[in-house]
Amino acid sequence: MGQPKKSRSRRFPPRPRSLAGRREQAASILDRLAENYPDSACALVHRNAFELLVATVLSAQTTDARVNSVTPTLFAHFPDPTTMASAPLEVLEEILHPLGFYRAKARSLNGLANGLIERFNGVVPATLEELITLPGVGRKTANVVLGNAFGIPGITVDTHVGRLSRRWGWTRETDPVKAEMELAKILPQPQWTTICHRVIDHGRQVCHSRKPACLECPLADICPSFDIE
């Protein structure tokens, strides 16, 4: 006989039914995050919107630290959409080789740079609607660029934000776009970008995927998942 399936209550913590209750619960967690991660910021090193857009696209399926290890060389050779659009693929592949999936990522950067030139005269657009028309750019990447290059608040539902948001009862959605829509209802909009940075830092340092360090967590006394196996 197989193992019984975990019930929904085992997968997700209890949460207030009302939107106001969820906002209040989230506010206590946000205060604690602010106390513990006051200096959280984008981990991808960049000097402008184009560099951040490229770095964010490259960060898929690899770490920010590894992306940061190749982007200085990348941008020294190809500092703008025009030079990157005409870059030989074999040169891009050689630079991106440490990231893994380097052939696909080289093609992605070439397509992205060409898209910027063809649609936006080589200028990174400052709206989500325009950004997501570019090759390889989804809502997550667009929100990273909007929040960190243009100061436009955005919710970035990466693996950390999605995981912790479910553990805290902010959402029960596993689809990133649906989760983003739910989070937008309970998190204060002016802080969206900063909140995501703090959640990501907490996910990296404490609330790991397989073995969260619950006994060492500064949010243990207010975390609704603390006593869930």
Side-chain angles (χ1 to χ4, degrees):
M1 182 179 295
Q3 294 294 322
K5 293 183 179 180
K6 290 186 177 181
S7 67
R8 188 176 180 86
S9 62
R10 300 284 285 183
R11 294 177 56 213
F12 299 111
R15 63 178 184 175
R17 290 191 175 186
S18 70
L19 191 59
R22 290 183 210 169
R23 287 174 177 164
E24 183 178 356
Q25 183 186 55
S28 64
I29 292 176
L30 296 181
D31 288 343
R32 197 69 62 86
L33 289 173
E35 293 173 6
N36 286 273
Y37 308 99
D39 301 318
S40 289
C42 182
L44 292 168
V45 177
H46 62 282
R47 295 172 296 184
N48 53 55
F50 173 68
E51 290 190 357
L52 179 58
L53 177 60
V54 169
T56 307
V57 169
L58 291 178
S59 68
Q61 297 178 299
T62 191
T63 65
D64 291 349
R66 186 160 291 182
V67 172
N68 290 338
S69 74
V70 304
T71 48
T73 301
L74 177 67
F75 295 134
H77 286 80
F78 312 110
D80 51 51
T82 301
T83 54
M84 192 169 288
S86 59
L89 281 178
E90 59 269 22
V91 176
L92 286 175
E93 290 174 0
E94 182 178 358
I95 295 172
L96 302 178
H97 191 277
L99 300 183
F101 304 100
Y102 60 93
R103 290 191 177 89
K105 290 188 176 184
R107 292 193 298 272
S108 292
L109 293 195
N110 185 265
L112 174 64
N114 276 285
L116 284 169
I117 293 170
E118 294 168 2
R119 302 177 193 179
F120 304 108
N121 296 316
V123 178
V124 177
T127 70
L128 186 144
E129 291 76 17
E130 291 175 313
L131 280 167
I132 61 177
T133 66
L134 291 165
V137 178
R139 292 185 66 92
K140 181 175 74 174
T141 296
N143 279 325
V144 170
V145 174
L146 291 174
N148 296 282
F150 297 110
I152 301 172
I155 296 174
T156 304
V157 184
D158 71 347
T159 181
H160 300 290
V161 172
R163 180 178 74 253
L164 271 62
S165 294
R166 289 187 291 274
R167 286 178 175 173
W168 292 334
W170 292 359
T171 183
R172 291 178 174 173
E173 297 290 347
T174 56
D175 178 84
V177 175
K178 292 180 180 179
E180 179 190 338
M181 298 301 107
E182 281 209 345
L183 296 182
K185 296 177 183 178
I186 66 171
L187 302 179
Q189 184 174 4
Q191 301 177 37
W192 281 352
T193 302
T194 300
I195 288 169
C196 289
H197 289 319
R198 288 171 176 162
V199 174
I200 290 169
D201 281 349
H202 189 64
R204 286 173 173 163
Q205 298 179 30
V206 180
C207 198
H208 309 124
S209 177
R210 295 185 178 180
K211 293 183 178 180
C214 295
L215 297 180
E216 303 169 14
C217 180
L219 283 71
D221 61 315
I222 57 174
C223 177
S225 287
F226 180 73
D227 58 351
I228 296 178
E229 296 181 357

